[in-house]
Amino acid sequence: MRPADVEDLAAFLARLDPAVPVMPIGVGSNLIVRDGGVPGVVVRLPKSFARVAIEPGNRVRARGAAMGISVASAARDAGIAGLEFLRGIPGTVGGAVRMNAGAYGRDASDILIEVRVVLRDGRIETWPAARLGYSYRHSDLPEGAVVVEALFEGAPGDPEAIGAEMDRIAAEREASQPLRSRTGGSTFKNPPGGKAWALIDAAGCRGLRRGDAQVSEKHTNFLLNLGAARAAEIEALGEEVRARVLAHSGVELEWEIQRVGNPLPHAGGEE
């Protein structure tokens, strides 16, 4: 479902049978869609939901489909610092708000003032950031709620310095992450006091394959699709990585990437 505007989305959800599940998606980053597909209704906001506007008080109002780089760039041009890290998040505002996305030492919760959502029953509400119950890569936003707008706040800054920091982030990502490969992004959450990639590497998982699914040799917290990997193979590879890390270090990695939908009957990681 691609709504024409907020009111169209609200009316659609209000009419929809409450038993039908609703899943909003952005550009598909941080997502594994299982081979059996997603039940119910998938909501994807169109380009009309991607507007970014500057407001007084070093604030940036962004609609739910705006990309992180667009928000960071608008803030830079307006001399608003503190949003540079969004340059390193390859997803939409809606996804960043829902999962408390973060990079380079900052999270969405650090800059969010309020969010406008359309709830599963069609109600349109504006919530202060505190209501989202943020923790690491998690919010209490209810199932089926769609983020249609967010208000962020930064601090006064020099556009050249802000731009330089964004360039540094872009260069660091290019050097350390498999950006030109088919991947869903960072796979596992960093455990307290540690780094998931280091634990994965120490467990001997760098380059580990299951069919066309592979642990990246460039950054071990990324799983790659080398061409024809099914979602079941990618997910099974991830579970193998978790098992090896647990056996090696005693740390149980938690999935960061969202796994949604239904597996195919009898689908597994190996034939």
Side-chain angles (χ1 to χ4, degrees), residues 57-217:
N58 300 301
R59 293 185 169 189
V60 182
R61 187 174 298 275
R63 304 201 79 187
M67 296 293 292
I69 186 174
S70 300
V71 179
S73 297
R76 174 201 61 207
D77 295 345
I80 300 174
L83 282 69
E84 296 91 339
F85 75 97
L86 293 175
R87 172 66 178 83
I89 297 176
T92 63
V93 163
V97 167
R98 173 174 285 277
M99 69 168 289
N100 193 20
Y104 304 96
R106 303 213 73 194
D107 298 325
S109 57
D110 295 331
I111 58 173
L112 184 70
I113 300 300
E114 65 182 28
V115 61
R116 192 179 187 210
V117 297
V118 180
L119 299 176
R120 174 59 184 84
D121 60 8
R123 286 177 293 153
I124 303 170
E125 295 187 353
T126 298
W127 289 14
R131 188 172 173 183
L132 274 72
Y134 275 131
S135 58
Y136 178 59
R137 303 295 176 262
H138 171 80
S139 77
D140 290 338
L141 200 64
E143 289 294 321
V146 183
V147 174
V148 293
E149 191 173 83
L151 179 64
F152 302 112
E153 183 176 292
D158 174 60
E160 288 191 10
I162 295 168
E165 174 63 8
M166 288 173 60
D167 290 344
R168 184 194 69 80
I169 288 171
E172 186 172 323
R173 289 186 69 235
E174 180 70 35
S176 64
Q177 299 177 12
L179 302 181
R180 304 185 189 283
S181 302
R182 298 172 64 187
T183 174
S186 183
T187 305
F188 300 107
K189 297 178 181 180
N190 288 325
K195 295 290 186 181
W197 76 264
L199 293 169
I200 295 167
D201 202 17
C205 298
R206 185 179 295 269
L208 184 67
R209 286 186 63 169
R210 182 180 282 252
D212 263 3
Q214 182 185 38
V215 176
S216 171
E217 295 186 2

